[in-house]
Amino acid sequence: MDDFLSFDSFLGGAKKAAHRAMDEHGRGEYENFALQGGVAIEKLAKAVLVSMNPVYLLEMRNGNPDMLLYLGGHLELSEDKVRTVGAKDAIKRLRTLGILPPNPQLDILIELRNGTAHTSTGDRAKSLLPAFIESSWTLLKKVGIDIGDFWERWSSAVIIAVDEQRSEVERDVEIRIRQSWHRFEDRFAGLPDSARERALAQPSSTPYPSTLALSEPRPGLITTSLPPSGVPVAEAPPC
């Protein structure tokens, strides 16, 4: 079977899409977040299916009958003739196998990604971040991929997004701080530390909020470590 249908290919594509989804969510581009988030879940779902048996990628409706032989490894097909199961059916198969639990919020994300949801994409997609992250964790656990290895710099943000001990407002603020900090890092990548410090300390006309500075520990703040990433999170000291 071709490399583009391999486990590593699906996993790599899912990782790129998931990171783009977090970037888009941080910029307030919620339609793009839904698109990238849906792609990430679809590719993760296919990575799980192909790790179990490549035949599980078979498109049952209006599919090429030769795909069964191709996915079984006994027939060669050109890439333009290869069609695999869609996101909705891939998720359905994982639920049938007891791997992925039912989640109406995830279903809405996939519908928004496919353009079939009868709602305002941006307004609805903003609130779907926890469902997106929780589903990714379930799928990563199934294939034995460490959350920190997959999410990398986004590890602390995704942990906060599903932390039910925090209020919705608190989670949103903490996530925004980390999203802003990553945008800052991307914008000023390669600059000397002194230039980065000046950019943080001095007001500017750039679209980055002043709360960027809160994403690093400051005097008077307590820092705690959140597993599995170990990324410090700033918390206000008790009054």
Side-chain angles (χ1 to χ4, degrees):
M1 192 167 61
D2 294 319
D3 289 341
F4 70 89
L5 291 181
S6 68
F7 171 80
D8 289 339
S9 177
F10 283 126
L11 182 64
K15 184 175 181 178
K16 290 179 181 178
H19 286 222
R20 292 192 191 109
M22 293 300 293
D23 288 333
E24 298 291 359
H25 195 279
R27 286 193 288 265
E29 298 291 340
Y30 300 119
E31 291 188 9
N32 289 334
F33 159 71
L35 173 61
Q36 295 296 334
V39 169
I41 293 299
E42 177 180 358
K43 289 186 177 294
L44 270 178
K46 289 182 178 181
V48 173
L49 290 173
V50 79
S51 72
M52 300 174 70
N53 192 323
V55 174
Y56 292 166
L57 295 177
L58 181 65
E59 171 60 66
M60 301 296 293
R61 294 174 297 180
N62 303 319
N64 182 350
D66 290 337
M67 278 294 297
L68 178 61
L69 302 177
Y70 169 77
L71 293 171
H74 295 92
L75 182 70
E76 292 186 4
L77 287 177
S78 59
E79 185 173 342
D80 63 305
K81 293 183 179 180
V82 175
R83 296 289 185 273
T84 59
V85 63
K88 188 174 182 179
D89 285 336
I91 291 171
K92 183 179 180 180
R93 291 177 187 183
L94 291 173
R95 288 173 175 167
T96 300
L97 293 169
I99 295 170
L100 198 61
N103 188 332
Q105 295 292 90
L106 175 61
D107 295 339
I108 293 173
L109 177 66
I110 298 303
E111 289 175 359
L112 291 175
R113 178 259 170 139
N114 293 337
T116 58
H118 300 290
T119 183
S120 174
T121 303
D123 294 342
R124 193 68 183 90
K126 180 181 179 181
S127 64
L128 300 178
L129 184 62
F132 165 56
I133 293 168
E134 288 170 355
S135 299
S136 76
W137 284 16
T138 300
L139 297 173
L140 291 170
K141 181 179 179 180
K142 174 61 182 178
V143 292
I145 300 297
D146 183 77
I147 292 171
D149 290 340
F150 182 85
W151 283 107
E152 295 181 348
R153 70 177 188 172
W154 287 110
S155 295
S156 64
V158 299
I159 290 170
I160 291 169
V162 296
D163 184 0
E164 295 182 353
Q165 295 183 352
R166 299 170 183 259
S167 69
E168 183 177 351
V169 172
E170 185 180 4
R171 290 198 303 267
D172 187 64
V173 169
E174 292 283 1
I175 292 169
R176 295 300 172 200
I177 290 172
R178 279 152 184 77
Q179 290 171 327
S180 297
W181 177 249
H182 293 326
R183 294 203 305 274
F184 173 86
E185 286 183 322
D186 292 340
R187 184 178 180 87
F188 296 99
L191 290 180
D193 290 342
S194 58
R196 289 161 56 88
E197 291 174 1
R198 286 198 300 272
L200 282 172
Q202 297 177 1
S204 73
S205 59
T206 58
Y208 302 103
S210 60
T211 50
L212 282 170
L214 297 179
S215 61
E216 291 189 331
R218 297 293 185 189
L221 293 179
I222 301 171
T223 60
T224 58
S225 295
L226 288 172
S229 64
V231 178
V233 177
E235 296 183 351
C239 298

